[in-house]
């Protein structure tokens, strides 16, 4: 990643502050107090943190690019003892989603990663595998090529969070379901055989499970050569998103927006 722009948020060097620098992914920002912005970041060193970018509102046009969700930055920030919010001093853009063309689908796909990371990760817990997954899938999301990285991200995120059930056996009777269609419920753990499926269950085709197996074995770059229209493994995407939604106990808005495309 080659650095392109550097933005400075304010003076550094107050007493009692610990200065830090980390690669980070911008997840969200909100207006905060007068002219400041509150920014949620996934840092490589410290996991998810929240910080204040002082006066960023007033010069929003200047900082707007660096604060776009899923921008990868080298963040310089300062921690004060016993304070949850860090002080954001400077962002150097390493990769920006705005450097490639943007449309509604690509924006919603990038938003899905930011939304899930924001909801799923506790603060101050480094998750290097999640960081790498998020960055890799975000950079593969391009206009007309979003469905593979969306599915790959949702599936792997479920696994990295420890939420992915074994797909090869019925959770009720233990029947070997490898190579077969399985059923799952949006309100219960595991997958089921046809006899044990619940009234509210949906199915996951054998082909979809085959795609999941490939995604768990292959780096994303190996799969991107193939054609991935919206309809390919759409039941797998639905399964992966609903697994995340059940554990997050909320709907993922950007995933719903994507399905309406
Ligand atoms: Zn069964």
């Amino acid at each position: 990643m080659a650095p392109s722009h550097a933005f400075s948020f304010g003076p550094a060097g107050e007493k009692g502050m610990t200065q830090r620098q980390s690669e980070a992914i911008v997840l969200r920002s909100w207006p905060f107090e007068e002219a400041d912005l509150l920014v949620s970041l996934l840092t490589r060193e410290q996991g998810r943190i929240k910080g204040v970018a002082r006066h960023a509102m007033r010069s929003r046009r200047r900082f707007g690019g660096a604060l776009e969700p899923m921008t990868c930055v080298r963040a310089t920030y300062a921690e004060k003892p016993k304070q949850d919010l860090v002080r954001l001093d400077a962002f150097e853009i390493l990769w920006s989603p705005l450097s490639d063309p943007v449309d509604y689908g690509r924006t919603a796909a990038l938003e899905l990663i930011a939304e899930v990371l924001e909801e799923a990760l506790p603060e101050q817990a480094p998750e290097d595998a999640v960081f790498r997954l998020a960055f890799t899938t975000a950079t593969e999301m391009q206009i007309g090529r979003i469905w593979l990285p969306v599915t790959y991200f949702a599936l792997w995120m479920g696994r990295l969070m420890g939420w992915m059930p074994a797909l090869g056996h019925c959770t009720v009777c233990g029947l070997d379901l490898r190579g077969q269609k399985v059923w799952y419920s949006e309100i219960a753990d595991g997958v089921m055989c046809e006899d044990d499926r619940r009234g509210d269950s949906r199915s996951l085709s054998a082909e979809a499970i085959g795609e999941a197996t490939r995604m768990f074995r292959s780096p994303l770059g190996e799969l991107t050569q193939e054609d991935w229209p919206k309809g390919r493994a759409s039941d797998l995407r639905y399964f992966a998103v609903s697994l995340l939604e059940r554990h997050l106990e909320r709907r993922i808005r950007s995933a719903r927006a994507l399905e309406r495309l």
Side-chain angles (χ1 to χ4, degrees):
M1 288 179 286
S4 51
H5 307 288
F7 297 112
S8 184
F9 291 114
E14 264 172 62
K15 273 184 190 163
M17 306 283 262
T18 310
Q19 199 78 22
R20 291 186 183 274
Q21 198 171 62
S22 177
E23 269 181 67
I25 296 170
V26 175
L27 302 180
R28 277 189 71 182
S29 57
W30 307 262
F32 184 66
E33 295 180 351
E34 290 161 34
D36 302 343
L37 277 179
L38 187 61
V39 184
S40 176
L41 293 170
L42 177 62
T43 67
R44 203 151 193 171
E45 316 291 328
Q46 290 189 292
R48 197 166 62 79
I49 60 168
K50 277 204 186 83
V52 178
R54 297 211 54 212
H55 308 305
M57 282 284 276
R58 216 174 287 158
S59 46
R60 192 153 200 169
R61 277 169 64 192
R62 207 175 134 218
F63 296 116
L67 296 172
E68 184 71 17
M70 296 312 294
T71 304
C72 189
V73 298
R74 181 171 296 112
T76 305
Y77 58 97
E79 287 179 308
K80 218 175 205 173
K82 294 176 194 157
Q83 279 201 8
D84 291 337
L85 294 176
V86 304
R87 189 194 65 203
L88 299 171
D89 291 329
F91 281 0
E92 179 187 349
I93 296 181
L94 303 174
W95 179 80
S96 167
L98 300 179
S99 58
D100 291 308
V102 175
D103 68 357
Y104 179 84
R106 181 168 179 252
T107 302
L110 290 163
E111 183 61 40
L112 182 141
I113 302 181
E115 189 179 345
V116 170
L117 296 180
E118 175 71 26
E119 295 296 330
L121 299 176
E123 288 193 31
Q124 305 271 1
E127 291 280 0
D128 203 55
V130 173
F131 186 95
R132 284 182 285 118
L133 172 69
F135 181 70
T136 307
T137 47
T139 54
E140 290 290 350
M141 285 171 176
Q142 298 296 335
I143 287 182
R145 295 176 46 198
I146 57 172
W147 301 108
L148 169 64
V150 162
T151 309
Y152 193 93
F153 172 78
L155 196 68
W156 264 102
M157 191 66 193
R159 174 183 252 197
L160 292 174
M161 295 305 289
W163 299 337
M164 186 59 60
L167 301 177
H169 292 87
C170 173
T171 190
V172 179
C173 71
L175 189 70
D176 188 341
L177 296 173
R178 284 175 291 180
Q180 293 176 44
K181 183 197 255 190
V182 302
W183 276 264
Y184 66 96
S185 161
E186 287 176 42
I187 54 166
D189 285 320
V191 298
M192 291 153 281
C193 68
E194 182 157 18
D195 290 344
D196 289 319
R197 70 188 165 119
R198 304 162 47 109
D200 61 357
S201 62
R202 296 180 68 107
S203 67
L204 193 56
S205 62
E207 296 74 33
I209 296 171
E211 299 283 26
T213 307
R214 290 177 66 222
M215 288 187 193
F216 284 141
R217 284 182 187 156
S218 315
L220 182 57
E222 265 178 38
L223 305 171
T224 50
Q225 310 306 318
E226 302 167 20
D227 218 18
W228 279 87
K230 186 185 179 190
R232 181 168 173 184
S234 59
D235 54 342
L236 178 61
R237 186 169 68 246
Y238 193 94
F239 167 78
V241 168
S242 63
L243 181 73
L244 296 176
E245 288 185 332
R246 184 159 67 78
H247 285 273
L248 297 174
E249 297 179 335
R250 63 185 285 285
R251 294 292 184 206
I252 300 168
R253 275 175 294 114
S254 45
R256 305 274 152 166
L258 271 176
E259 290 306 324
R260 284 196 294 270
L261 275 179

